[in-house]
Amino acid sequence: GGIAVFMIRYAMLRKYDVGGLCNGILAGLVSITAACANVESFSAFFIGLIGAFVYQGASMLLQKFKVDDPVDAVPVHGACGMWGVLAAGLFDWGAGMDHYHGWNGWDCMKNE
């Protein structure tokens, strides 16, 4: 997440933004927190990467509406948290798209 935001902001502003790098790292971590026990590593990478774009979009939206959030807490925790909850359901493929599982052995399709 951090490197993605760093590259996005460099492409847009032609400046290096270390604050964006740090918030991008947090955005990726917040995005994967809800699904960390139920998704594969490859899915976790993409959840964090998409979280970087969600963070950047939410940050730009707050600036456009002139909302004062100097540390970008709402984009990091609010927007990426909502994305993380959605990603937990979207990326938990289990044994296929019709099978869902949990880390503690819970299985909603045990008898099939």
Side-chain angles (χ1 to χ4, degrees):
I3 294 173
V5 171
F6 194 71
M7 293 186 326
I8 292 168
R9 290 210 174 165
Y10 182 76
M12 291 172 51
L13 306 172
R14 294 290 184 227
K15 294 180 184 177
Y16 297 112
D17 186 5
V18 177
L21 173 73
C22 294
N23 279 336
I25 292 168
L26 288 173
L29 292 171
V30 169
S31 297
I32 191 56
T33 299
C36 65
N38 295 347
V39 297
E40 300 293 328
S41 299
F42 193 69
S43 296
F45 172 78
F46 282 107
I47 290 171
L49 185 65
I50 294 169
F53 287 96
V54 169
Y55 160 73
Q56 183 62 36
S59 178
M60 290 169 44
L61 192 64
L62 282 183
Q63 290 175 3
K64 179 178 167 113
F65 289 134
K66 297 184 186 334
V67 176
D68 185 26
D69 187 5
V71 294
D72 273 349
V74 172
V76 169
H77 297 284
C80 291
M82 286 187 272
W83 158 243
V85 170
L86 289 173
L90 293 173
F91 285 87
D92 182 11
W93 295 335
M97 293 297 283
D98 60 343
H99 184 86
Y100 305 96
H101 62 84
W103 65 272
N104 61 353
W106 180 81
D107 190 352
C108 69
M109 305 180 96
K110 193 70 129 181
N111 297 326
E112 289 187 28

